Protein backbone atom coordinates (compact mmCIF):
# COMPACT_ATOMS: atom_id res chain seq x y z
CA UNK A 1 0.00 0.00 0.00
CA UNK A 2 1.45 3.38 -1.00
CA UNK A 3 0.77 6.69 0.66
CA UNK A 4 1.71 8.19 4.02
CA UNK A 5 1.58 4.78 5.71
CA UNK A 6 3.36 1.83 4.09
CA UNK A 7 1.89 -1.53 5.11
CA UNK A 8 3.79 -4.82 4.83
CA UNK A 9 2.84 -8.34 5.85
CA UNK A 10 5.96 -9.65 7.59
CA UNK A 11 4.52 -13.07 8.45
CA UNK A 12 4.69 -12.87 12.23
CA UNK A 13 3.27 -9.34 12.22
CA UNK A 14 2.13 -6.37 10.17
CA UNK A 15 4.65 -3.57 9.69
CA UNK A 16 3.38 -0.01 9.27
CA UNK A 17 5.92 2.65 8.32
CA UNK A 18 5.03 6.32 8.65
CA UNK A 19 6.29 7.50 5.29
CA UNK A 20 6.62 11.27 5.12
CA UNK A 21 10.38 11.52 5.70
CA UNK A 22 10.58 14.93 4.04
CA UNK A 23 8.29 16.18 6.85
CA UNK A 24 9.92 14.00 9.52
CA UNK A 25 6.73 11.93 9.32
CA UNK A 26 4.54 14.71 10.68
CA UNK A 27 1.04 13.38 11.24
CA UNK A 28 -1.47 14.87 8.82
CA UNK A 29 -5.07 14.02 7.97
CA UNK A 30 -4.06 11.53 5.26
CA UNK A 31 -1.93 9.61 7.74
CA UNK A 32 -4.76 9.61 10.28
CA UNK A 33 -7.12 8.25 7.62
CA UNK A 34 -4.58 5.55 6.77
CA UNK A 35 -4.28 4.58 10.44
CA UNK A 36 -8.06 4.20 10.65
CA UNK A 37 -8.05 1.98 7.56
CA UNK A 38 -5.27 -0.18 9.00
CA UNK A 39 -7.06 -0.48 12.34
CA UNK A 40 -10.24 -1.57 10.57
CA UNK A 41 -8.28 -4.46 9.02
CA UNK A 42 -6.54 -5.46 12.26
CA UNK A 43 -9.81 -5.36 14.19
CA UNK A 44 -11.27 -7.89 11.75
CA UNK A 45 -8.14 -10.08 11.43
CA UNK A 46 -6.07 -9.49 14.58
CA UNK A 47 -2.29 -9.34 14.04
CA UNK A 48 0.59 -7.90 16.03
CA UNK A 49 1.49 -4.46 14.67
CA UNK A 50 4.98 -2.91 14.48
CA UNK A 51 5.10 0.86 13.93
CA UNK A 52 8.17 2.77 12.74
CA UNK A 53 9.03 5.98 10.93
CA UNK A 54 10.79 6.30 7.59
CA UNK A 55 14.14 8.08 7.66
CA UNK A 56 15.72 9.26 10.88
CA UNK A 57 12.61 10.06 12.94
CA UNK A 58 9.48 8.31 14.16
CA UNK A 59 7.20 11.36 13.91
CA UNK A 60 8.13 14.96 14.67
CA UNK A 61 4.56 15.84 15.64
CA UNK A 62 1.33 16.86 13.99
CA UNK A 63 1.41 18.72 10.69
CA UNK A 64 1.50 22.31 11.99
CA UNK A 65 0.22 23.79 8.74
CA UNK A 66 -2.97 21.74 9.09
CA UNK A 67 -3.13 22.15 12.87
CA UNK A 68 -3.00 25.95 12.61
CA UNK A 69 -6.21 25.97 10.58
CA UNK A 70 -8.22 23.80 12.97
CA UNK A 71 -10.82 25.39 15.17
CA UNK A 72 -12.93 24.49 18.21
CA UNK A 73 -15.13 22.02 16.34
CA UNK A 74 -12.02 20.19 15.12
CA UNK A 75 -10.69 19.96 18.67
CA UNK A 76 -13.97 18.50 19.91
CA UNK A 77 -13.95 16.01 17.03
CA UNK A 78 -10.76 14.48 18.44
CA UNK A 79 -9.17 13.82 15.05
CA UNK A 80 -5.90 12.41 16.38
CA UNK A 81 -7.36 11.24 19.69
CA UNK A 82 -9.77 8.76 18.13
CA UNK A 83 -7.15 7.33 15.78
CA UNK A 84 -4.61 6.81 18.57
CA UNK A 85 -7.26 5.30 20.85
CA UNK A 86 -8.13 2.87 18.09
CA UNK A 87 -4.45 1.89 17.82
CA UNK A 88 -4.25 1.39 21.59
CA UNK A 89 -7.36 -0.80 21.59
CA UNK A 90 -6.27 -3.16 18.80
CA UNK A 91 -6.75 -6.78 19.89
CA UNK A 92 -3.11 -7.83 19.48
CA UNK A 93 0.03 -6.05 20.74
CA UNK A 94 1.35 -2.87 19.13
CA UNK A 95 5.12 -2.34 19.18
CA UNK A 96 6.74 1.02 18.35
CA UNK A 97 10.35 1.28 17.14
CA UNK A 98 11.44 4.83 17.97
CA UNK A 99 14.36 6.88 16.70
CA UNK A 100 15.00 10.57 16.27
CA UNK A 101 12.01 12.80 16.97
CA UNK A 102 8.85 11.43 18.58
CA UNK A 103 7.24 14.71 19.55
CA UNK A 104 3.73 16.00 20.08
CA UNK A 105 1.30 13.82 18.17
CA UNK A 106 4.17 11.50 17.29
CA UNK A 107 4.84 10.92 20.98
CA UNK A 108 1.14 10.40 21.63
CA UNK A 109 0.97 7.75 18.90
CA UNK A 110 3.96 6.04 20.53
CA UNK A 111 2.27 6.21 23.96
CA UNK A 112 -0.65 4.28 22.43
CA UNK A 113 1.63 1.32 21.69
CA UNK A 114 1.90 -1.55 24.16
CA UNK A 115 5.69 -1.86 23.87
CA UNK A 116 8.23 0.79 22.88
CA UNK A 117 11.90 0.34 22.01
CA UNK A 118 14.25 3.15 21.08
CA UNK A 119 17.72 4.61 20.62
CA UNK A 120 19.92 7.18 22.40
CA UNK A 121 19.10 9.57 19.54
CA UNK A 122 15.42 9.50 20.47
CA UNK A 123 13.88 12.81 21.53
CA UNK A 124 10.45 12.24 23.02
CA UNK A 125 7.99 14.62 24.61
CA UNK A 126 5.14 17.07 24.24
CA UNK A 127 6.08 20.70 23.58
CA UNK A 128 2.52 21.64 22.58
CA UNK A 129 2.14 24.50 25.09
CA UNK A 130 4.87 26.35 23.19
CA UNK A 131 2.49 26.36 20.22
CA UNK A 132 -0.48 27.58 22.22
CA UNK A 133 -2.28 24.23 22.61
CA UNK A 134 -2.21 21.21 24.93
CA UNK A 135 -1.28 17.59 24.31
CA UNK A 136 -4.87 16.43 23.94
CA UNK A 137 -4.49 13.16 22.00
CA UNK A 138 -3.61 10.92 24.92
CA UNK A 139 -0.57 12.38 26.67
CA UNK A 140 -2.50 13.78 29.64
CA UNK A 141 -3.58 10.30 30.73
CA UNK A 142 -1.32 7.77 28.99
CA UNK A 143 1.95 9.47 29.87
CA UNK A 144 1.01 9.61 33.55
CA UNK A 145 0.29 5.87 33.51
CA UNK A 146 3.60 5.18 31.76
CA UNK A 147 6.07 7.32 33.75
CA UNK A 148 4.14 8.42 36.83
CA UNK A 149 2.52 11.72 37.76
CA UNK A 150 5.63 13.72 38.75
CA UNK A 151 7.57 13.23 35.51
CA UNK A 152 4.46 13.45 33.33
CA UNK A 153 3.54 16.71 35.03
CA UNK A 154 6.98 18.20 34.43
CA UNK A 155 6.98 17.10 30.78
CA UNK A 156 3.51 18.42 30.02
CA UNK A 157 3.81 21.71 31.94
CA UNK A 158 7.34 22.62 30.86
CA UNK A 159 7.59 20.99 27.43
CA UNK A 160 10.56 18.91 28.60
CA UNK A 161 11.75 16.51 25.92
CA UNK A 162 13.43 13.27 27.05
CA UNK A 163 16.51 11.82 25.42
CA UNK A 164 16.54 8.12 24.63
CA UNK A 165 18.59 7.43 27.76
CA UNK A 166 16.13 9.40 29.89
CA UNK A 167 13.15 7.66 28.30
CA UNK A 168 14.74 4.28 29.03
CA UNK A 169 15.50 5.23 32.65
CA UNK A 170 11.88 6.36 33.07
CA UNK A 171 10.50 3.11 31.62
CA UNK A 172 8.92 4.94 28.70
CA UNK A 173 10.88 2.62 26.43
CA UNK A 174 11.85 -0.87 27.59
CA UNK A 175 14.86 -1.47 25.34
CA UNK A 176 17.63 0.88 24.22
CA UNK A 177 19.59 0.09 21.04
CA UNK A 178 22.45 1.93 19.37
CA UNK A 179 20.77 2.62 16.03
CA UNK A 180 17.33 2.88 14.50
CA UNK A 181 18.01 -0.25 12.47
CA UNK A 182 18.85 -2.19 15.64
CA UNK A 183 15.75 -0.89 17.41
CA UNK A 184 13.61 -1.97 14.47
CA UNK A 185 15.23 -5.43 14.48
CA UNK A 186 14.49 -5.69 18.20
CA UNK A 187 10.86 -4.69 17.64
CA UNK A 188 10.49 -7.40 15.00
CA UNK A 189 12.12 -9.92 17.34
CA UNK A 190 9.50 -9.09 19.96
CA UNK A 191 6.77 -9.62 17.37
CA UNK A 192 8.30 -12.97 16.39
CA UNK A 193 8.33 -14.04 20.03
CA UNK A 194 4.67 -13.08 20.42
CA UNK A 195 3.83 -15.10 17.30
CA UNK A 196 4.98 -18.29 19.07
CA UNK A 197 2.46 -17.78 21.86
CA UNK A 198 -1.24 -18.58 21.93
CA UNK A 199 -2.94 -15.59 20.24
CA UNK A 200 -6.12 -15.99 22.29
CA UNK A 201 -4.12 -15.90 25.54
CA UNK A 202 -2.20 -12.88 24.25
CA UNK A 203 -5.41 -11.06 23.38
CA UNK A 204 -6.88 -11.92 26.80
CA UNK A 205 -3.71 -10.65 28.50
CA UNK A 206 -4.01 -7.34 26.67
CA UNK A 207 -7.66 -6.98 27.65
CA UNK A 208 -6.80 -7.65 31.29
CA UNK A 209 -3.83 -5.27 31.26
CA UNK A 210 -5.95 -2.45 29.85
CA UNK A 211 -8.89 -2.98 32.21
CA UNK A 212 -9.42 -0.41 34.99
CA UNK A 213 -8.36 -1.33 38.50
CA UNK A 214 -12.00 -1.67 39.55
CA UNK A 215 -12.43 -4.57 37.08
CA UNK A 216 -9.89 -6.80 38.85
CA UNK A 217 -9.82 -9.62 39.80
CA UNK A 218 -13.16 -10.45 38.19
CA UNK A 219 -11.97 -9.81 34.64
CA UNK A 220 -8.86 -11.95 35.21
CA UNK A 221 -10.94 -14.88 36.42
CA UNK A 222 -13.48 -14.53 33.60
CA UNK A 223 -10.75 -14.52 30.94
CA UNK A 224 -8.97 -17.43 32.58
CA UNK A 225 -12.20 -19.44 32.72
CA UNK A 226 -12.54 -19.14 28.94
CA UNK A 227 -8.93 -20.12 28.35
CA UNK A 228 -9.16 -23.09 30.72
CA UNK A 229 -11.74 -24.60 28.36
CA UNK A 230 -9.77 -23.94 25.15
CA UNK A 231 -8.34 -26.80 23.05
CA UNK A 232 -5.18 -24.76 22.57
CA UNK A 233 -4.52 -24.69 26.31
CA UNK A 234 -4.88 -28.47 26.43
CA UNK A 235 -2.62 -28.95 23.41
CA UNK A 236 0.13 -26.66 24.66
CA UNK A 237 0.14 -28.05 28.17
CA UNK A 238 0.15 -31.63 26.88
CA UNK A 239 3.12 -30.84 24.64
CA UNK A 240 4.92 -29.24 27.58
CA UNK A 241 4.41 -32.31 29.78
CA UNK A 242 5.52 -34.66 27.01
CA UNK A 243 8.69 -32.66 26.43
CA UNK A 244 9.39 -32.75 30.13
CA UNK A 245 9.13 -36.54 30.13
CA UNK A 246 11.73 -36.89 27.39
CA UNK A 247 14.16 -34.27 28.66
Amino acid sequence: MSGPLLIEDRGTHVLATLDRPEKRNAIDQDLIDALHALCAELEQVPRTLVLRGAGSSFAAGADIAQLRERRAADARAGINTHAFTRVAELPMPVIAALDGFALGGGAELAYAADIRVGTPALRMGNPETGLGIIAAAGASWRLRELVGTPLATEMLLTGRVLSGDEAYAAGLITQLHDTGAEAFTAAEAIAARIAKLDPEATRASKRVLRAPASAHPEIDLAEQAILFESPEKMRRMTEFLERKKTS
Side-chain angles (χ1 to χ4, degrees):
M1 182 185 300
S2 61
L5 193 65
L6 300 182
I7 311 298
E8 301 175 53
D9 185 336
R10 306 281 282 201
T12 58
H13 60 281
V14 171
L15 170 63
T17 303
L18 282 62
D19 193 35
R20 302 184 72 213
E22 73 286 355
K23 298 287 188 180
R24 292 178 175 170
N25 304 317
I27 297 171
D28 66 354
Q29 184 64 58
D30 288 342
L31 201 152
I32 289 294
D33 292 342
L35 279 173
H36 277 298
L38 174 60
C39 287
E41 294 179 13
L42 295 177
E43 288 159 358
Q44 293 299 314
V45 182
R47 303 277 303 281
T48 295
L49 173 64
V50 173
L51 289 169
R52 69 171 177 178
S56 60
S57 284
F58 179 68
D63 188 304
I64 302 303
Q66 288 190 5
L67 200 58
R68 185 183 61 178
E69 302 309 312
R70 291 179 181 171
R71 296 296 182 262
D74 300 303
R76 293 189 178 94
I79 294 169
N80 289 5
T81 304
H82 293 310
F84 299 164
T85 296
R86 204 168 178 183
V87 169
E89 293 178 352
L90 285 172
M92 288 291 282
V94 179
I95 305 161
L98 306 173
D99 190 25
F101 293 116
L103 300 174
E108 290 178 301
L109 175 57
Y111 301 155
D114 299 292
I115 300 168
R116 287 161 297 279
V117 301
T119 71
L122 174 64
R123 297 295 180 266
M124 193 171 193
N126 294 91
E128 280 90 339
T129 51
L131 294 171
I133 59 174
I134 66 171
S140 64
W141 70 93
R142 290 196 183 100
L143 186 58
R144 182 169 53 189
E145 292 177 353
L146 292 169
V147 302
T149 298
L151 181 55
T153 299
E154 181 182 349
M155 291 173 67
L156 294 175
L157 295 185
T158 71
R160 177 181 171 187
V161 173
L162 301 185
S163 68
D165 290 306
E166 290 171 325
Y168 179 62
L172 189 52
I173 59 176
T174 57
Q175 295 184 26
L176 189 67
H177 297 275
D178 290 338
T179 68
E182 291 176 2
F184 171 58
T185 297
E188 291 211 304
I190 294 170
R193 181 174 181 176
I194 291 169
K196 296 177 181 178
L197 310 175
D198 175 16
E200 289 304 319
T202 300
R203 291 172 64 177
S205 294
K206 180 165 178 175
R207 287 193 293 269
V208 167
L209 278 166
R210 291 196 168 271
S214 59
H216 300 283
E218 288 78 10
I219 188 172
D220 307 70
L221 304 182
E223 294 284 1
Q224 191 76 302
I226 294 169
L227 293 170
F228 269 20
E229 297 293 333
S230 72
E232 186 65 8
K233 171 249 189 179
M234 184 64 69
R235 183 188 71 79
R236 286 175 176 263
M237 290 192 176
T238 299
E239 284 186 358
F240 173 84
L241 292 171
E242 290 175 350
R243 285 196 305 269
K244 194 172 182 181
K245 284 180 185 177
T246 58
S247 62

